[in-house]
């Protein structure tokens, strides 16, 4: 059986990805930063699918914690064949009011963590390849990587950086390890729960599918990229048609 690490999988999209991997037969490492009990609930639900699940608390913006996450996962699950860099935070602050510390925090959590986790995962991914698996890394970016975003320039910039990191790592780790990204549009999670009714109406009017994304929609895309053996360095846009490129 193969195994996967999903960062930030205590809630939202990461939770749906962890449960999708479990349903597909993968042992999973469920990572949380602050939501410990929610992470244990995700692991319990994963075990009900008949796979192993380990819960690891780690602030993945800290490279030592990221290394600890990958070591624990590899030790307890017997290796790591897939990594999903999903952990992320958002913050709405106009540039004139944005402190360098806040800019750095969002960058650390959203993109530096992906570098740190991928680097820590590399020996395990190579070992998985040698053992005959088809390892992959999937980075969770955002539609805002393309459009930019008012009052969240640091968030949009971090998601743009993730797309460049994805292509660079796809080249660095070829041919053994495929690296791709998924760029969700508006997905209903805690991250987007602060919308007013008027904002929701405006957002929905811009989505041809006529609804928000569900975490499971993004999990479907991540599962596709995990299995798509001839796809690397690519970004899969999952946004209900909001942005057609
Ligand atoms: P969410 O519901 O707020 O969940 C965020 C997850 O990330 C939680 O599990 C949280 O863990 C974890 N996390 C945050 N900081 C962390 C850290 N320093 N170390 C480890 N884990 C950390 O957000 P979401 O909507 O599911 O977003 C997941 C990803 O999708 C993010 O990268 C986000 O930018 C991206 N995305 C979301 C949308 C959307 O519309 N929702 C759109 C495009 C892209 P704890 O609760 O344990 O702290």
């Amino acid at each position: 059986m193969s195994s996967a690490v999903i960062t930030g999988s205590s809630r939202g999209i990461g939770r749906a990805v962890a449960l999708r991997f479990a349903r597909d037969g993968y042992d999973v490492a469920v990572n949380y930063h602050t939501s410990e009990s929610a992470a244990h609930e995700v692991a319990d639900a994963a075990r009900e699918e008949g796979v192993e699940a380990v819960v690891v608390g780690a602030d993945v913006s800290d490279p030592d914690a990221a290394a600890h996450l990958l070591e624990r996962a590899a030790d307890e699950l017997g290796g790591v064949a897939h990594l999903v860099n999903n952990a992320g935070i958002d913050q709405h602050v106009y540039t004139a009011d944005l402190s360098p510390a806040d800019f750095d925090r969002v960058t650390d959590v959203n993109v530096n963590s992906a570098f740190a986790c991928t680097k820590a995962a590399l020996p395990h991914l190579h070992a998985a390849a040698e053992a005959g698996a088809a390892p992959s890394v999937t980075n969770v970016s955002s539609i805002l990587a393309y459009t930019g975003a008012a009052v969240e320039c640091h968030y949009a910039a971090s998601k743009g950086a993730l797309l460049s990191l994805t292509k660079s790592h796809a080249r660095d780790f070829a041919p053994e390890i495929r690296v791709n990204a998924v760029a969700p549009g508006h997905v209903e999670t805690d991250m987007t729960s602060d919308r007013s009714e008027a904002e929701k109406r405006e957002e929905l009017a811009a989505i041809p599918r006529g609804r928000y994304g569900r975490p499971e929609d993004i999990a479907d895309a991540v599962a596709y990229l995990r299995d798509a053996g001839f796809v690397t360095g690519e970004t899969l846009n999952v946004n209900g048609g909001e942005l057609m490129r």
Side-chain angles (χ1 to χ4, degrees):
M1 195 174 287
S2 199
S3 57
V5 173
I6 300 99
T7 70
S9 41
S10 51
R11 295 184 286 119
I13 291 169
R15 174 184 186 278
V17 172
L19 294 180
R20 172 61 189 263
F21 271 64
R23 209 169 68 231
D24 292 346
Y26 291 83
D27 296 331
V28 290
V30 178
N31 161 242
Y32 71 93
H33 179 213
T34 58
S35 305
E36 182 175 2
S37 60
H40 280 282
E41 283 171 27
V42 175
D44 288 343
R47 289 183 196 108
E48 283 176 19
E49 302 291 346
V51 302
E52 284 185 44
V54 58
V55 175
V56 187
D59 175 351
V60 290
S61 69
D62 171 355
D64 292 336
H68 166 73
L69 165 62
L70 270 298
E71 281 312 308
R72 275 276 314 277
D75 282 354
E76 298 206 17
L77 303 177
V80 174
H82 301 279
L83 169 66
V84 181
N85 287 310
N86 164 80
I89 53 171
D90 195 5
Q91 197 188 39
H92 294 99
V93 186
Y94 182 55
T95 294
D97 303 317
L98 184 59
S99 70
D102 280 346
F103 193 103
D104 286 348
R105 180 67 190 152
V106 167
T107 305
D108 282 345
V109 175
N110 290 4
V111 60
N112 295 357
S113 67
F115 161 68
C117 289
T118 303
K119 184 174 172 182
L122 266 184
H124 307 297
L125 298 174
H126 280 300
E130 276 167 30
S136 73
V137 176
T138 306
N139 296 320
V140 181
S141 178
S142 166
I143 190 173
L144 301 185
Y146 306 114
T147 61
V151 297
E152 45 184 332
C153 69
H154 50 341
Y155 179 82
S158 71
K159 294 299 181 179
L162 265 181
L163 297 188
S164 303
L165 190 77
T166 298
K167 289 184 248 188
S168 303
H169 279 174
R171 293 181 191 281
D172 268 350
F173 311 147
E176 291 88 3
I177 302 164
R178 292 178 306 103
V179 185
N180 291 293
V182 57
H186 290 89
V187 181
E188 275 188 313
T189 67
D190 294 341
M191 188 176 275
T192 50
S193 62
D194 59 350
R195 305 283 199 279
S196 68
E197 286 308 312
E199 283 171 325
K200 282 185 188 168
R201 272 196 302 278
E202 194 180 322
E203 283 178 352
L204 286 172
I207 303 174
R209 279 289 282 140
R211 66 166 175 85
Y212 285 110
R214 303 178 185 116
E216 292 73 19
D217 293 322
I218 310 307
D220 287 347
V222 175
Y224 166 77
L225 291 171
R226 178 197 65 209
D227 298 338
F230 200 49
V231 180
T232 195
E234 192 52 78
T235 300
L236 185 48
N237 299 301
V238 187
N239 56 43
E242 184 174 358
L243 182 70
M244 300 189 192
R245 295 171 51 79

